[in-house]
Amino acid sequence: MVDWFLSLNPIWQATLAGVFTWLMTALGSSLVFLFHEVNDKLLAIMNGFAAGVMFAASYWSLLAPSIDFAEQNGYGIWSFVPALVGFLVGGLFLRIVDSVVPHLHKRTSGVEETEGVASSLSSTTLLFLAVTIHNIPEGLAIGVAFGAAGQGASAITSALGLALGIGLQNFPEGAALSMPIRAEGSTKGHAFNMGQSSALFEIISATIGAWLVTQITVILPYALAFAAGAMVFVCVEELIPNSQTNGHSEVATMAFVIGFAIMMTLDVALG
């Protein structure tokens, strides 16, 4: 099975990795059939853990390979430039998307913050859009990582570690979306479908990311850093603030440390 996967084109590898992260989101969303809600403390832990995973992945799976690839391809003392430019553009891109697409941030403290252009969409739809926006850079990161491995810019095990890490943090993310939707009055089936479908865009963006870097190799170091910048934006703008409210900051911070350590271990050990 492993040999079969490794023999696939990087685009297919990225697509299947995206399917895996979607499946983990769906499993998390399925908890809506077993529980009525996730308590504030658990949500804070989930957000902290997810932020730790994404922060570690941003460096070891994306920024470091970006710099290494630039060094190996004649950038010399300017090897940091693709990482710098890509990282800044990735964060700016997510900022623009955040300011344009209407969506809802449901903070751990219970406060709802609507962002983006004015809209008459329901709070359920706005919450769905918020999670979907933040799933896109995760899928893109997976796609770029597998594309980079296919171009010899990084080890395939590094891409596998990234997909596994994002999959781990997608499980609680699925629950964190489906249960608030259920609490809004939706049926369990509808809440589950909203939760799992938010991750479908990870499959699409993973496929696109892998295709881009395999077709246009010159953008590879920029694409790796772009994905890192977008992921860090998500962490700082959404996950960390949510983890630090409602009196659970200490346990959430430890969850961040554990998530970071797990992702770092996966990436370094597998890479």
Side-chain angles (χ1 to χ4, degrees), residues 48-214:
F49 178 83
V53 167
M54 291 174 70
F55 255 105
S58 295
Y59 176 71
W60 273 283
S61 296
L62 300 169
L63 286 175
S66 171
I67 296 171
D68 289 343
F69 183 83
E71 289 177 344
Q72 295 164 12
N73 285 270
Y75 281 76
I77 63 172
W78 303 105
S79 297
F80 69 92
V81 171
L84 175 63
V85 173
F87 185 82
L88 292 175
V89 173
L92 179 61
F93 173 77
L94 254 290
R95 177 66 188 95
I96 293 172
V97 171
D98 234 29
S99 65
V100 173
V101 179
H103 59 284
L104 177 71
H105 292 307
K106 198 174 184 68
R107 303 299 183 188
T108 307
S109 59
V111 176
E112 294 184 347
E113 298 179 4
T114 303
E115 296 184 359
V117 298
S119 172
S120 59
L121 296 173
S122 68
S123 60
T124 296
T125 302
L126 291 172
L127 183 60
F128 168 81
L129 286 173
V131 176
T132 299
I133 289 171
H134 296 160
N135 278 336
I136 292 174
E138 294 176 10
L140 182 62
I142 291 170
V144 171
F146 276 99
Q151 301 300 311
S154 62
I156 184 66
T157 48
S158 179
L160 289 169
L162 175 63
L164 180 58
I166 290 178
L168 287 174
Q169 67 97 18
N170 273 11
F171 180 83
E173 189 175 75
L177 174 59
S178 63
M179 291 188 180
I181 291 177
R182 168 60 175 163
E184 294 273 340
S186 297
T187 64
K188 292 181 179 179
H190 178 70
F192 167 76
N193 283 328
M194 292 290 281
Q196 62 85 17
S197 61
S198 69
L200 290 174
F201 288 90
E202 287 197 18
I203 303 174
I204 298 171
S205 56
T207 303
I208 292 173
W211 180 83
L212 280 174
V213 298
T214 54

Side-chain angles (χ1 to χ4, degrees), residues 48-49 51-53 250-264:
F49 178 83
V53 167
E250 291 186 2
V251 67
T253 300
M254 287 308 304
F256 175 96
V257 172
I258 292 170
F260 188 98
I262 290 174
M263 187 64 231
M264 177 181 65

